[in-house]
Each structure stands twice: as structure tokens, then as C-alpha cells.
Amino acid sequence: MRTLILLTLLGACWAQFDPNVQSGRTAIVHLFEWRWADIAAECERYLGPNGFAGLQVSPPNENAVYYDPWRPWWERYQPISYKICTRSGNEQEFQDMVARCNDVGVRVYVDGVINHMCGAGGPGGTQSTCGSTYYPGKEDFPAVPFSSWDFNDGKCYTGSGNIENYQDATQVRNCRLVGLLDLALEKDYVRGKVAEYMNKLIGYGVAGFRLDAAKHMWPGDIQAIVNKLNNLNTRWFSGGAKPFIFQEVIDLGGEPITVNEYTGIGRVTEFKYGQKLGYIIRRWNGEKLSYLKNWGEGWGFMASGKALVFVDNHDTQRGHGPGGASVLTFWDSRLYKIAIGFMLAHPYGFARVMSSYNWPRDIQNGQDKNDWVGPPANSDGSTKPVTINADSTCGNGWVCEHRWRQIRNMVKFRNVADGQAFANWWDNGSNQIAFGRGNKAFIVINLDDWQLDATLQTGLPAGTYCDVISGQKEGSGCSGISVTVGGDGKARFQISNSAEDPFIAIHVDNKL
Ligand code: QV4
Ligand code: CA
């Protein structure tokens, strides 16, 4: 009996690390700023059929509306209430999306902005996505309701009331992040309002949450809120399943707050991953691909089972937050595909792919003047739908990296490799590398300035395999390169350094 209770408790604790995905699905996509109606359609027509495990949505709760600059994406990180009412859609559309995605095996994770409300200098009045009235100067949000009692001012000792020094953990938690009104999350009333909002979403069928600005919340406060969360909706999840939690803590070293304070609560974003991978793939600072041999914990990252990994996110792709200079994005598409390919082939962490919209990037002295530009929108500010072109790419300004053949096929590669050990590493001491996943999958990358020509142990059964980067299996043949694996598991690979995609990936589901 005692063991049973212990096991149950352990199960409950561990559950926050479990993404609650359908078995055989392993990677999620951030559909940044997408409308709920478009996401519902994307689940049914693309994400479900192509093996995506889930998706992260932009914050669904009511936010401040800004006209100067005009409808920036970052207004969604300035909550006004917990009504489900944004440019992405209303509550009914949100519910419909979650149900339709779950029905095709695709999970929904909500970006939870619970550290703060809008900026102290926010517009106020009824300038909000649902028309709720608010008074930032008085810290009054009647639609929740929150009043000045519910904010942290009394506990912040900086002159400006803002976070001024990241070396001081107390002000990072108790002061305002870029002027955003900081909630007093130690108050049971505030915790209750936040949990009520999250539980409403859990009721609709969401599978978990990204916790925005987790570094700016005390771990004990986060734990107390998580303890108030309901189990997942049993229409789609097994009884007792807990919401998946991944916390946004940017720990690149050098600050007193580290990810270790948060890994007991749930997963944590591993920001070193995209930063360091950027350095390697760009070959900056003398980095080489061969150094990827011990990628993961060997590089000082948190334990694999605690990590949420990504190449870029909505901040780092436009210079918000620290550490973005080396980060690869769709703007560097050739190297980006390699970075995503590597991430999806490698077993470390739970992986998230980015899906962006285009904006008129304007870099001056290393800073993008247009880093604020919001999603493709009509003149009334409404977000434009994601249209699908005949060649299956997206229109209306949506980039849809997750639909790029190389990326979509590597999501499938990760599913096939799920649970298989990192195996058969090879490198040339420079920028040519290869590795496999058990006897299921194998990838070879050439970023040297010369051709790769090597006969390598793949670990795969003998046969002819279709490369899933240059094409895939179609009917009884390959639309791209084919690779012949001999009875000894070896295959010869030739990759030109000038190829648009200088990498090859094969797996048992694309064997002829
Ligand atoms: C301005 C002035 C302040 C002044 C304030 C007065 O700059 O000095 O005190 O007005 O009201 C926007 C503006 C910012 C403005 C602020 C408040 O850019 O200039 O302050 O609003 O009105 C996003 C954007 C921010 C944006 C914020 C809210 O990145 O630029 O601020 O949304 O709209 C750290 C954190 C980490 C964070 C990262 C970016 O540790 O948690 O910075 N990442 C997350 C999200 C991110 C989001 C937030 C946190 C805040 O991923 O997208 O910030 O929710 O590393
Ligand atoms: Ca705080």
C-alpha cells in the first residue's frame, strides 16, 4: 500500500514533464500568431497526417491594443483579462480548435502569460482586444478583477520600479519586466485567478502550458499554481494525466537564477541549445560540427528529460531577449534546415519547431528596426488567414517552416527514431558528421568546403532507402537521392559542399 501511494505521488510529480502526446509522435510546432480557425484546419489537413505531436499557440487571453507602433506582436504579452478573446479568435473558435486538433491526435499547448499584466504606460481605457476597460496607472483590471493590492510594487526596491540588474534575483522576481505590471503571485487570490484561467483551458482539452517569463516568478509561486491545476480532459487523455509544463527561463550562464531552480516543477526551455548550435553551424569562433559528438548534457545543458529544445523562438528570431546573435532562423534558410535537421535527428530534449510570418526586416547596427512588426494583417488590424498555395507552401506572408519538405520529413524521422539510442557516430575531425538512431535511422551532414565521400556504418538493415531531405519515397521509387545499405550495414555517401541541402537522412519508413 505504501509503495502504491509513493508510486502514485511519483507519477503525479513526474507527470509535468510528460507532454501527453500520442504515442509515436515526438515534436511540436509553434504556430506564432496564427488564428484558431487556421490552426484547426492545419491540424486536420497537415499536422495530424504528417505526424506532428502538437503545437504551441500565442497567448489566447485578452491583451492591450497598441497603435504606436501599429499592432505589434508583443501586445499579446500584455494581458488585460483572462477572457479568451484576441486577434487569433474568440472562445468558441478556441474550443473548436482544441477539439479538432485533439481528434486528429495533435495536442495544444498554451503560452501562459501569468507573471504580469500590461505595461505601466499602457494605453488604458477600452484599448483591449475584447473591449474590457482597464486603468494601468491605477493598476486596475476590473475584468479579472485585479486591483493595486494584487501587484508587487511594495516588494520592489529599484528606483524605477523596473528590473535594473539581473544579478539580483529578488528584483528579477519582484520588479517590473520592461515596465510590465508585476503580479503578486504569493497571494492566494492571484494564484486562484491564474489557476481558474488555466483550468478553463484544461477543460477545453489543452495538454499543457509554456509559462512565459518563468524566471521572473518565484519557483514556489509557480509550484503553488501548478498544484491548483486540474487533470486533463478525459475525452482525450487518460485519467489522472497532468498538464505538461515548460517554463521560459533564459539561462545562458552568468546570472544567479539558473534553470535548476525550476527543473523540479516541469520542463525548462534550454536556450543554450539554439545559441550554441548557431555558433557551430555558422562555424563561428572556430566551432566545428565534429564537436557535436557529445551534444546535450556533455555541453553543460540540463538533463535531456527536463529540456524543451528549439533552434529559434519568436524572441530570438528578431533580437528580443539575450543571446540571439548566432541563432539561425528562416532568414538563413540553408543553414537553418541543417540546424533543424540535426535537432530532430538528435535524441536530446523535447523538440519544438518554429513557424513564422515574414516581416520587412531592417537591420541597422545589428538591431532590427522592425522587430515589433505584427502578423500579416488587414487595415482594420485583423490577422490575415493562412492561405495554402498549390505547391503546399503558405501564402499571405506566412512562412510555414514546418511545411518545408526537409523539416516536415525530419519530424517523421524523429518519430521513427523515437526511443532508439544515439549510435554509429562518425566525423572527419572537421565539419563532416554522421550518426544514427539504433537500427532505424541515419543522418549525414557536410559543412566542410569540400565534398564528403565516405562509406559509413549506418546500423540499418540492408536495402535501398530514399533520402528524406532531397525527396522521399514515392510509390515504388525515390523522388530524390537513394542510398544503398549493404548486408554489413554500410553505405557510401557523397555530398557536395555546394548542394542546396548538404545533408542526407534515411530511415526504415522510407525503405523501398
Ligand atoms: C517600455 C520601455 C520601458 C518602460 C515601459 C513603461 O521600454 O523601459 O518601463 O515602456 O511602460 C514591450 C515593449 C517595451 C515596453 C513594454 C511595456 O517592447 O519597450 O517597455 O512593452 O509597455 C515581449 C517583447 C517585449 C515587450 C513585451 C510586452 O519581447 O519587448 O515589451 O512582450 O509587450 C527577458 C525575459 C524573458 C522575455 C525576454 C524577451 O527574461 O522572459 O526578455 N521573454 C518573454 C516572451 C517575450 C515577452 C515577455 C517575456 C514578456 O517570450 O516575447 O516580451 O511577456 O530575457
Ligand atoms: Ca514577477
Side-chain angles (χ1 to χ4, degrees):
M1 188 60 194
R2 198 175 291 167
T3 6
L4 191 69
I5 293 173
L6 194 72
L7 279 176
T8 318
L9 279 174
L10 262 178
C13 295
W14 277 104
Q16 264 89 243
F17 304 96
D18 178 351
N20 302 306
V21 297
Q22 241 185 18
S23 99
R25 296 182 186 250
T26 57
I28 66 173
V29 54
H30 181 194
L31 297 177
F32 180 49
E33 285 279 7
W34 279 46
R35 297 156 66 248
W36 309 148
D38 292 330
I39 294 179
E42 189 71 351
C43 280
E44 292 169 345
R45 71 189 166 205
Y46 202 86
L47 301 177
N50 284 298
F52 284 78
L55 57 100
Q56 179 185 318
V57 296
S58 284
N61 63 305
E62 182 174 25
N63 60 261
V65 167
Y66 281 80
Y67 293 108
D68 184 21
W70 191 76
R71 307 305 312 265
W73 63 270
W74 47 251
E75 66 176 39
R76 296 186 73 163
Y77 290 88
Q78 302 204 17
I80 297 307
S81 81
Y82 298 127
K83 293 179 190 164
I84 309 304
C85 187
T86 60
R87 281 207 276 180
S88 286
N90 63 29
E91 183 152 11
Q92 193 241 311
E93 289 163 321
F94 182 86
Q95 265 182 280
D96 179 62
M97 165 191 74
V98 176
R100 286 166 61 191
C101 289
N102 273 326
D103 283 348
V104 293
V106 181
R107 304 311 186 204
V108 177
Y109 308 92
V110 164
D111 195 347
V113 186
I114 62 173
N115 169 67
H116 51 263
M117 300 299 279
C118 69
T126 53
Q127 234 171 277
S128 52
T129 49
C130 223
S132 295
T133 307
Y134 63 106
Y135 310 92
K138 292 195 295 176
E139 301 186 321
D140 190 10
F141 296 86
V144 179
F146 283 143
S147 70
S148 59
W149 297 102
D150 302 317
F151 292 87
N152 265 335
D153 313 274
K155 286 185 283 147
C156 171
Y157 298 103
T158 63
S160 62
N162 290 347
I163 299 165
E164 294 173 359
N165 178 8
Y166 275 79
Q167 294 304 319
D168 173 358
T170 302
Q171 63 171 276
V172 172
R173 269 75 174 253
N174 290 349
C175 296
R176 296 172 180 173
L177 167 61
V178 294
L180 299 162
L181 299 175
D182 205 54
L183 284 166
L185 291 169
E186 85 280 6
K187 289 187 64 178
D188 199 55
Y189 173 76
V190 178
R191 291 175 178 176
K193 282 292 165 189
V194 168
E196 183 182 285
Y197 160 56
M198 295 169 79
N199 279 330
K200 175 167 68 177
L201 302 174
I202 289 171
Y204 294 158
V206 310
F209 299 89
R210 167 190 187 263
L211 294 187
D212 178 69
K215 180 194 277 185
H216 306 280
M217 301 189 271
W218 294 97
D221 291 343
I222 297 179
Q223 185 65 67
I225 291 165
V226 166
N227 290 347
K228 287 180 188 282
L229 298 182
N230 296 337
N231 292 340
L232 299 185
N233 188 324
T234 51
R235 181 166 156 201
W236 297 286
F237 304 93
S238 54
K242 301 277 177 196
F244 177 46
I245 299 292
F246 59 103
Q247 304 158 94
E248 190 227 6
V249 179
I250 306 179
D251 175 2
L252 297 166
E255 285 178 27
I257 298 177
T258 68
V259 295
N260 300 324
E261 291 181 59
Y262 295 86
T263 46
I265 303 169
R267 289 207 188 222
V268 182
T269 50
E270 181 49 276
F271 273 78
K272 290 173 186 159
Y273 195 103
Q275 186 198 45
K276 305 233 185 266
L277 191 57
Y279 274 106
I280 294 172
I281 290 184
R282 291 179 188 276
R283 303 188 294 171
W284 283 1
N285 292 359
E287 297 282 2
K288 297 175 181 168
L289 266 75
S290 56
Y291 297 164
L292 288 167
K293 184 174 186 175
N294 65 341
W295 185 245
E297 290 93 343
W299 274 69
F301 301 168
M302 70 186 93
S304 175
K306 307 283 174 138
L308 187 290
V309 301
F310 47 95
V311 171
D312 58 332
N313 81 348
H314 70 281
D315 287 328
T316 59
Q317 72 171 196
R318 46 175 53 68
H320 279 236
S326 66
V327 165
L328 288 162
T329 69
F330 71 87
W331 295 105
D332 306 283
S333 63
R334 184 170 182 265
L335 295 182
Y336 187 64
K337 286 177 279 182
I338 297 169
I340 298 278
F342 173 81
M343 173 180 78
L344 292 172
H346 196 280
Y348 179 85
F350 186 67
R352 179 182 63 195
V353 168
M354 182 70 198
S355 189
S356 319
Y357 56 79
N358 237 299
W359 75 96
R361 206 162 65 143
D362 177 16
I363 297 183
Q364 293 174 26
N365 306 319
Q367 266 291 115
D368 182 1
K369 295 282 167 215
N370 285 334
D371 66 342
W372 57 271
V373 173
N378 301 304
S379 55
D380 65 357
S382 58
T383 302
K384 282 190 183 169
V386 177
T387 51
I388 306 299
N389 302 323
D391 64 358
S392 96
T393 59
C394 296
N396 261 352
W398 300 92
V399 181
C400 291
E401 296 92 313
H402 69 285
R403 280 177 169 256
W404 295 2
R405 181 189 65 244
Q406 300 84 344
I407 294 178
R408 177 242 294 150
N409 284 353
M410 285 306 296
V411 167
K412 180 74 181 296
F413 179 112
R414 190 173 190 78
N415 291 344
V416 171
D418 191 24
Q420 298 291 315
F422 181 73
N424 294 308
W425 173 270
W426 168 87
D427 68 68
N428 68 344
S430 182
N431 293 293
Q432 300 184 346
I433 63 166
F435 63 93
R437 299 290 302 280
N439 57 0
K440 300 278 194 201
F442 195 73
I443 186 170
V444 189
I445 307 175
N446 177 21
L447 270 178
D448 270 326
D449 300 325
W450 57 88
Q451 201 201 19
L452 178 152
D453 188 347
T455 298
L456 304 172
Q457 177 55 254
T458 66
L460 299 184
T464 303
Y465 294 81
C466 300
D467 169 33
V468 299
I469 303 304
S470 56
Q472 61 239 324
K473 185 174 154 188
E474 289 201 9
S476 57
C478 300
S479 56
I481 295 167
S482 56
V483 175
T484 308
V485 175
D488 58 358
K490 291 185 177 168
R492 182 176 178 190
F493 294 90
Q494 290 173 295
I495 304 176
S496 162
N497 51 304
S498 58
E500 164 58 20
D501 292 322
F503 64 123
I504 288 178
I506 55 177
H507 60 71
V508 294
D509 262 26
N510 262 246
K511 185 170 180 277
L512 292 185

